Amino acid sequence: MKIKILGNGGAINDGLPYNAFMIDEEVLIELPPDIMLSLAREDISINNIREIFISHLHGDHCFGFPFLTLYLFVKVPKDQKEKRIKLFAPGNAKDFLIDLTEKAFSKEHPLISWVRETIEFINISDRTEITLNDHTARLFKMEHMVETYGFILKEENENVFSYIADTKWSQGITDLLKEKPQIVILDLNGEPDDPVPIHLHEDEIIEKAINLVSDETVFYGTHLKCDKISTNKRIHYVKAGMEIEI
């Protein structure tokens, strides 16, 4: 399994590409506003995308939807036009994203009917598991301002990879990390002196997380305000273009 980092920025950042990554160049995690730039920069074949996971419906995670779907509508070869793409997201994502696309391009645009016919919206709010890249992914609810989910991906009965989306420390994170994934990509946007905790910060991972996982588990921070470097050997900060082999 190969993880390709497309961006590492949070909603407010110093010019970083927004947080998103690919799994084996077929599964796209998050759809930020600059997703088309990030996919092009990393030379990702957009026509190969068959599944999309959106952790929650904040703009820095989903406002790229109209532009990705417009590209697919225009650029996909005619003999592949009916290839369905599964989109996993919480709550009313279907209505929200179609409304967003109508606002971007008008209700009359033929893209709208194509989206309805071609994108298979799967509500993850009432699910405990989904399938990503033919692997079982168990869902864990995060603690954020809106309904948000992370997941842990299983390969050959091992919990190899997990994604902890925007959240402050919660029971969901504890439960996920007790499954001892090998790799953890997680929101590390917070700082210890934040007046109101909204995101995780590195000190919390050192104090609360490392003792929950195996000695081999490595944490990769993303969703950042600026590029960072950790002095802890178990914690790394991702950058666009980084590849993580599992």
Side-chain angles (χ1 to χ4, degrees):
M1 185 182 299
K2 182 173 74 174
I3 309 299
K4 177 81 166 184
I5 303 299
L6 302 178
N8 61 345
I12 300 173
N13 69 71
D14 294 343
L16 303 175
Y18 287 110
N19 166 50
F21 58 91
M22 296 288 301
I23 301 174
D24 290 338
E25 296 194 4
E26 292 187 340
V27 182
L28 174 59
I29 309 299
E30 309 293 17
L31 261 181
D34 62 349
I35 191 61
M36 302 307 296
L37 289 171
S38 292
L39 290 167
R41 185 190 62 246
E42 301 305 326
D43 196 27
I44 299 294
S45 177
I46 297 173
N47 288 349
N48 287 345
I49 296 172
R50 60 190 182 95
E51 294 171 340
I52 299 168
F53 179 91
I54 297 175
S55 62
H56 63 293
L57 298 178
H58 276 168
D60 56 318
H61 291 257
C62 69
F63 274 17
F65 179 83
F67 306 100
L68 179 73
T69 52
L70 180 66
Y71 179 96
L72 291 169
F73 174 68
V74 173
K75 293 288 190 177
V76 169
K78 287 186 177 181
D79 62 346
Q80 297 182 35
K81 281 287 189 187
E82 303 308 315
K83 182 182 76 171
R84 292 181 69 79
I85 295 174
K86 292 182 178 180
L87 188 149
F88 301 91
N92 66 336
K94 180 177 182 179
D95 292 342
F96 182 93
L97 293 172
I98 289 177
D99 181 65
L100 183 67
T101 307
E102 290 177 344
K103 285 181 168 62
F105 301 118
S106 84
K107 293 183 178 181
E108 292 73 28
H109 198 291
L111 169 63
I112 307 304
S113 59
W114 184 88
V115 165
R116 293 183 181 276
E117 294 167 3
T118 308
I119 305 298
E120 181 182 354
F121 293 90
I122 299 171
N123 186 341
I124 62 176
S125 297
D126 55 358
R127 294 171 180 259
T128 58
E129 291 184 354
I130 59 176
T131 299
L132 291 175
N133 197 29
D134 299 323
H135 294 83
T136 298
R138 289 181 57 202
L139 298 170
F140 293 82
K141 194 168 186 179
M142 305 287 98
E143 189 168 343
H144 197 39
M145 290 178 282
V146 297
E147 188 177 10
T148 305
Y149 291 88
F151 62 80
I152 189 164
L153 204 64
K154 195 178 282 284
E155 184 176 55
E156 296 180 355
N157 296 319
E158 289 189 27
N159 295 317
V160 295
F161 167 66
S162 65
Y163 175 48
I164 295 175
D166 298 22
T167 186
K168 57 185 178 181
W169 191 268
S170 68
Q171 185 61 45
I173 299 173
T174 300
D175 294 341
L176 185 154
L177 292 177
K178 283 181 177 179
E179 299 290 328
K180 302 188 185 307
Q182 297 174 23
I183 298 294
V184 182
I185 293 181
L186 74 165
D187 164 32
L188 281 183
N189 189 278
E191 299 294 342
D193 58 355
D194 286 341
V196 178
I198 297 175
H199 300 280
L200 298 172
H201 58 80
E202 184 175 320
D203 289 355
E204 286 183 298
I205 303 309
I206 295 170
E207 295 167 8
K208 301 177 183 179
I210 288 178
N211 65 344
L212 295 175
V213 297
S214 71
D215 292 340
E216 289 75 36
T217 299
V218 180
F219 295 87
Y220 290 90
T222 189
H223 199 261
L224 308 174
K225 298 180 180 73
C226 60
D227 280 326
K228 298 178 71 174
I229 298 175
S230 176
T231 58
N232 189 294
K233 65 180 182 180
R234 300 284 296 278
I235 301 172
H236 305 272
Y237 287 94
V238 303
K239 291 187 178 184
M242 179 184 288
E243 293 185 352
I244 304 169
E245 296 279 352
I246 303 174

